[in-house]
Amino acid sequence: MEGLKAAFARAKREKRSALVTYTTAGYPTIDETPDVLLAMEAGGADVIELGSPFTDPIADGPTIQGANTQALKNGTTTTSCLNIVRQARSRGLKAPVLLMGYYNPLLAYGEERILRDAKAAGVNGFIMVDLPPEEAVRFRHHCTNYGLSYVPLIAPATSEKRMKLLCGIADSFIYVVSRMGVTGAKGVLSSGLPDLLDRVHKFSGGIPAAVGFGVSTREHFVEVGKVAEGVVIGSQIINTLKKAPQGEGAKAVEEYCYSITQRRNTQVSQTNGGPNGVSHGVSTDANRNGDGSGWISRENGEAPKDISTDDPTKQPASESDPSNGTVHVDAVSRGTDGPGLADQLEALNTNDDEKDPELMPSRFGEFGGQYVPESLMDCLAELEKGFDDARNDPKFWEEFRSYYPYMSRPSSLHRADRLTEHVRKTAAKGMGANIYLKREDLNHTGSHKINNAMGQVLLARRLGKTEIIAETGAGQHGVASATVCARFGMKCTVYMGSEDVRRQALNVFRMKLLGATVVAVEAGSCTLRDAVNEAMRKWVEKLDTTHYIIGSAIGPHPFPTIVRTFQSVIGSETKQQMQEQTGRLPDAVVACVGGGSNAAGMFHPFSNDPSVKLLGVEAGGDGVDTDRHSATLTGGKPGVLHGVRTYILQNAEGQINDTHSVSAGLDYPGVGPELSGWKDTERAKFIAATDAEAFIGFRLLSELEGIIPALETSHAIFGTVELAKTMKEDENIVICLSGRGDKDVQSVAEELPKIGPKIGWDLRF
């Protein structure tokens, strides 16, 4: 922390802005990164941000995302990042270093462990892109205990209340995110940047502000330096490394940094000794990690003075010692007085004048929350307020229900007679529950997705948005979003993993027929998770005009609650229909689980009915004991992905695992936070069905009931059959038949030669 303060103080004394540079650890290689850090310092950098790569960023631009991808391919881990700093320190790096990244890898490494190891390696602090304020206060407190800094981020959209909080937890400097506009060859300040800096300085209490994003030239640096104490450059350094000949990246970075600063930092000698061999600095033994926590050497060789709060008039100076060897101050803080963690949390959570009341629960036990970049926080607050107004407005629900004929609601519910009899043939005497089908496959567009798409497009119109973006896996949510956009004349862009584009070509064509733009995402595993990443990044770019219709009960608050609310029509209708047909509630309800929208919609209306069992069936792929599955609740552990704390599939480093399922709609490494809460409280049970077992479910419903189900739903069918065998004949189970299988017929045909022999199914002709 002290090293960061000293860097900005030195720049201020020299009447210039501090240069804060960024590079990704492990890019272009792990071995070259220490050279790059040293080169940045030699070229005039005052502070260095070392990016810790993450598989699923939601705020990085394409340049830095590309560097992260390459770094991960090179095997970069959190341990690698620490070793890079340690090596650079051993070779003379003096500039303070911040680790910058996303929360999940840090969480996986362990908070206490990362603080201890970072301190030992010579790290000076952290920038966490997606850490919400409540946890930032707590994490900053832990950082302070280790003498490390926590640097908050502020965006142009940050409200005054949030700005006060973020400025209040800053201890070394504040990172202000504001893009540059470019006119010809000369950069210009982004609109409103001076006013933004004025607001930051108003609340910062003298703590410096560094402005980043879009700065790439000397002209940019000088212009931004007129209003800010520091300037951050990142993407252009990555570009410099990318363009440099092999092995010459560090040299190119040094020359680039020099072109920005017009100054060079000569290496500070590792030896001690001032005039006459007297040193008033700190020895290398005392500061062997070079972490800036020791004394700062005085250039004039003057001995450090004592500090006193005594009245200076009672200690007159003498001719031999005009200053009397004492610095007089008004008070001394030794870190034990003043507002602590409890005070900061209290101010954050209970100050009625500063905090809006929670409009709806943002957490489901420990799960949920808003783990997103600061640039999204106020937009999410606007969305929450708009949704809260809508859900409490009878006229909104009247409008929603007015589209029931268009949506084909209410969907029908009936007993699956032949499937029930099939179960009883293989079950013990007196066993074999009645199986009912809730026919969401008969909705307009062929799945449950229309419920959420219609609700959210009405909400978007209420909020004054003119464009819609969406992500899709199996294509059903994309089709539903394109459908409602066509109905209301709104522009629609759908992001879809390129592998899913291949698997679901029919749905891609349906979206295009409906007038939507389909964007194939070729990053990562090229599936649903990558489509979510891209959609979130694009949403950030056009928040004022665009609404993101997220397709499942995932993402940051309030999205899981919004999706579950619109999908709860499934469970609410089921309750009423079962009462009418059987005179009582069902004994169990079953749904497939990917992100969890149809499961949340089916389960939530029954969540306070303990007599009703809730069973979710995940995608077991080749088996949960392999690395080719998507069974998040069965085989995952808690973490943070796509802005929410929930169960996720991740490795020991906190990087998100590749997933596999024969069904594109379940091929996702996370799950809705409400389902995670139900798992931990044991309100719901979750199992996994393999690809082969899903094919069994697909075949059974097709041959016995004349209904071709979606492969997603087929997992739930198999799970229902197994559950029904354990229940009595007078008990009832309802399956959420979430979608029809037209879209999957080609996929089944392609996979049957491999899976068919395992289950005795041969359709060759």
Side-chain angles (χ1 to χ4, degrees):
M1 184 192 305
E2 296 306 317
L4 287 160
K5 292 179 180 178
F8 279 92
R10 182 171 59 252
K12 183 178 181 180
R13 287 196 307 271
E14 296 173 2
K15 298 181 179 180
R16 61 177 177 81
S17 293
L19 174 61
V20 182
T21 54
Y22 169 93
T23 192
T24 298
Y27 182 82
T29 67
I30 294 174
D31 291 342
E32 289 177 80
T33 310
D35 296 328
V36 175
L37 303 191
L38 290 160
M40 290 192 292
E41 181 181 43
D46 298 283
V47 175
I48 295 171
E49 296 172 1
L50 182 64
S52 180
F54 181 49
T55 47
D56 291 75
I58 57 176
D60 293 343
T63 300
I64 291 177
Q65 184 188 3
N68 283 348
T69 300
Q70 183 59 51
L72 290 169
K73 288 180 180 177
N74 293 340
T76 305
T77 64
T78 302
T79 300
S80 304
C81 296
L82 298 176
N83 286 338
I84 286 167
V85 178
R86 186 178 289 109
Q87 288 179 36
R89 292 289 186 212
S90 71
R91 293 168 54 189
L93 182 72
K94 292 292 183 285
V97 177
L98 293 157
L99 286 185
M100 182 175 186
Y102 290 80
Y103 186 46
N104 198 62
L106 184 151
L107 188 64
Y109 192 89
E111 284 190 357
E112 190 75 19
R113 181 185 171 206
I114 190 65
L115 292 170
R116 182 189 68 237
D117 292 355
K119 179 73 172 179
V123 173
N124 297 77
F126 295 88
I127 300 176
M128 288 288 107
V129 175
D130 58 345
L131 199 60
E134 294 85 351
E135 297 203 31
V137 170
R138 177 190 54 77
F139 184 64
R140 185 260 197 180
H141 177 74
H142 294 319
C143 286
T144 302
N145 289 340
Y146 279 84
L148 299 171
S149 177
Y150 177 79
V151 178
L153 289 93
I154 287 177
T158 302
S159 66
E160 185 168 297
K161 286 185 291 186
R162 292 182 59 79
M163 192 174 290
K164 286 180 181 178
L165 167 67
L166 294 166
C167 287
I169 65 174
D171 48 38
S172 58
F173 74 97
I174 300 160
Y175 192 150
V176 179
V177 179
S178 183
R179 293 189 178 277
M180 296 284 292
V182 178
T183 303
K186 184 177 181 180
V188 295
L189 291 178
S190 66
S191 175
L193 181 58
D195 290 339
L196 173 60
L197 267 296
D198 284 344
R199 288 195 293 138
V200 172
H201 288 136
K202 176 182 175 182
F203 302 123
S204 67
I207 292 177
V211 174
F213 283 52
V215 180
S216 62
T217 68
R218 169 71 179 173
E219 290 78 11
H220 291 163
F221 179 76
V222 171
E223 286 297 308
V224 176
K226 293 176 180 178
V227 293
E229 293 81 6
V231 182
V232 184
I233 298 181
S235 295
Q236 197 59 34
I237 289 175
I238 299 298
N239 284 332
T240 300
L241 287 168
K242 186 177 181 179
K243 295 175 183 177
Q246 186 173 357
E248 297 184 22
K251 181 180 178 181
V253 166
E254 178 178 347
E255 293 308 310
Y256 170 73
C257 291
Y258 174 71
S259 75
I260 299 295
T261 64
Q262 298 295 293
R263 57 187 289 273
R264 296 190 192 272
N265 286 324
T266 56
Q267 288 292 330
V268 179
S269 172
Q270 293 287 317
T271 61
N272 287 287
N276 302 317
V278 177
S279 172
H280 301 304
V282 67
S283 71
T284 52
D285 288 337
N287 193 29
R288 66 184 61 195
N289 294 318
D291 60 4
S293 61
W295 291 350
I296 301 168
S297 296
R298 275 81 177 168
E299 295 177 0
N300 61 7
E302 183 179 306
K305 295 177 171 59
D306 292 330
I307 296 175
S308 174
T309 57
D310 294 337
D311 184 350
T313 63
K314 295 181 180 180
Q315 298 182 38
S318 65
E319 291 183 7
S320 61
D321 187 0
S323 66
N324 200 29
T326 303
V327 178
H328 294 277
V329 297
D330 297 309
V332 177
S333 172
R334 295 183 170 83
T336 57
D337 54 359
L341 177 63
D343 303 289
Q344 294 168 8
L345 287 171
E346 183 177 1
L348 179 66
N349 293 308
T350 63
N351 188 332
D352 293 335
D353 294 331
E354 295 295 324
K355 180 176 172 61
D356 292 326
E358 189 170 67
L359 299 175
M360 60 195 78
S362 60
R363 298 269 182 174
F364 306 95
E366 71 172 283
F367 305 106
Q370 295 175 320
Y371 295 80
V372 296
E374 179 59 25
S375 55
L376 273 178
M377 292 302 267
D378 271 41
C379 181
L380 290 172
E382 176 198 34
L383 178 60
E384 181 180 14
K385 177 64 166 60
F387 175 64
D388 188 64
D389 289 343
R391 70 180 184 139
N392 290 308
D393 183 355
K395 291 184 177 179
F396 176 80
W397 292 110
E398 182 180 333
E399 181 183 17
F400 180 70
R401 287 190 295 272
S402 74
Y403 291 101
Y404 273 16
Y406 180 78
M407 300 159 63
S408 302
R409 298 220 70 87
S411 64
S412 65
L413 181 141
H414 63 83
R415 184 177 184 271
D417 295 335
R418 293 195 67 214
L419 185 61
T420 300
E421 292 308 310
H422 170 79
V423 168
R424 290 177 178 173
K425 288 178 182 177
T426 56
K429 186 176 181 179
M431 306 296 284
N434 299 292
I435 299 174
Y436 287 78
L437 306 177
K438 178 59 173 166
R439 298 293 304 277
E440 294 298 295
D441 61 315
L442 297 180
N443 292 347
H444 180 37
T445 73
S447 79
H448 68 291
K449 296 294 187 181
I450 191 70
N451 307 324
N452 172 55
M454 179 60 74
Q456 287 209 51
V457 80
L458 295 177
L459 177 61
R461 284 160 53 86
R462 186 181 177 104
L463 293 173
K465 307 299 183 180
T466 58
E467 298 182 28
I468 295 297
I469 61 172
E471 92 297 327
T472 194
Q476 291 299 90
H477 174 61
V479 169
S481 297
T483 297
V484 296
C485 285
R487 173 63 182 78
F488 293 103
M490 298 181 75
K491 180 181 178 182
C492 181
T493 303
V494 181
Y495 295 90
M496 190 173 188
S498 59
E499 172 61 17
D500 292 339
V501 167
R502 185 193 66 78
R503 290 193 286 185
Q504 299 293 337
L506 176 61
N507 272 342
V508 173
F509 191 59
R510 289 173 73 194
M511 287 181 262
K512 293 174 72 65
L513 282 173
L514 291 161
T517 298
V518 181
V519 179
V521 179
E522 294 193 332
S525 59
C526 305
T527 56
L528 179 57
R529 62 184 268 207
D530 309 292
V532 175
N533 289 338
E534 191 66 15
M536 283 194 169
R537 277 194 291 270
K538 294 301 180 183
W539 185 39
V540 172
E541 294 178 7
K542 301 178 71 175
L543 293 174
D544 54 338
T545 61
T546 304
H547 176 67
Y548 176 18
I549 300 185
I550 204 164
S552 200
I554 59 172
H557 175 74
F559 278 119
T561 300
I562 290 174
V563 175
R564 178 255 286 159
T565 299
F566 290 131
Q567 293 293 5
S568 286
V569 64
I570 303 171
S572 296
E573 285 181 5
T574 299
K575 258 189 169 182
Q576 180 181 346
Q577 291 167 327
M578 286 298 287
Q579 287 280 11
E580 292 170 353
Q581 293 187 30
T582 68
R584 58 192 176 92
L585 294 177
D587 298 285
V589 291
V590 184
C592 63
V593 177
S597 62
N598 91 97
M602 175 60 101
F603 293 172
H604 187 265
F606 294 101
S607 59
N608 293 322
D609 297 311
S611 66
V612 182
K613 299 176 184 177
L614 310 179
L615 177 66
V617 187
E618 298 188 285
D622 291 347
V624 179
D625 56 340
T626 74
D627 58 3
R628 282 175 49 83
H629 67 85
S630 301
T632 305
L633 290 163
T634 308
K637 61 182 180 180
V640 174
L641 174 66
H642 293 149
V644 63
R645 188 181 185 110
T646 186
Y647 274 87
I648 59 177
L649 295 172
Q650 57 183 316
N651 65 18
E653 290 288 332
Q655 306 295 347
I656 307 306
N657 289 340
D658 289 338
T659 55
H660 164 75
S661 172
V662 72
S663 58
L666 303 186
D667 200 354
Y668 182 68
V671 69
E674 191 163 24
L675 277 72
S676 292
W678 285 331
K679 171 186 168 67
D680 275 15
T681 60
E682 298 184 348
R683 177 61 192 95
K685 181 180 179 181
F686 298 93
I687 62 173
T690 65
D691 288 347
E693 289 167 341
F695 266 49
I696 292 173
F698 185 91
R699 180 186 185 184
L700 285 174
L701 202 69
S702 298
E703 293 183 352
L704 296 176
E705 296 292 339
I707 300 170
I708 301 175
L711 279 174
E712 291 78 17
T713 309
S714 300
H715 290 74
I717 295 166
F718 179 84
T720 299
V721 167
E722 295 304 302
L723 175 63
K725 294 175 183 178
T726 69
M727 296 173 64
K728 297 177 181 177
E729 287 187 351
D730 61 352
E731 293 183 304
N732 301 318
I733 303 174
V734 180
I735 305 175
C736 179
L737 205 66
S738 57
R740 68 180 187 230
D742 310 41
K743 67 183 181 61
D744 292 320
V745 170
Q746 185 62 38
S747 293
V748 171
E750 290 176 0
E751 294 290 333
L752 204 55
K754 180 177 68 175
I755 295 178
K758 298 178 183 179
I759 62 174
W761 192 17
D762 188 347
L763 290 181
R764 286 177 294 182
F765 58 88

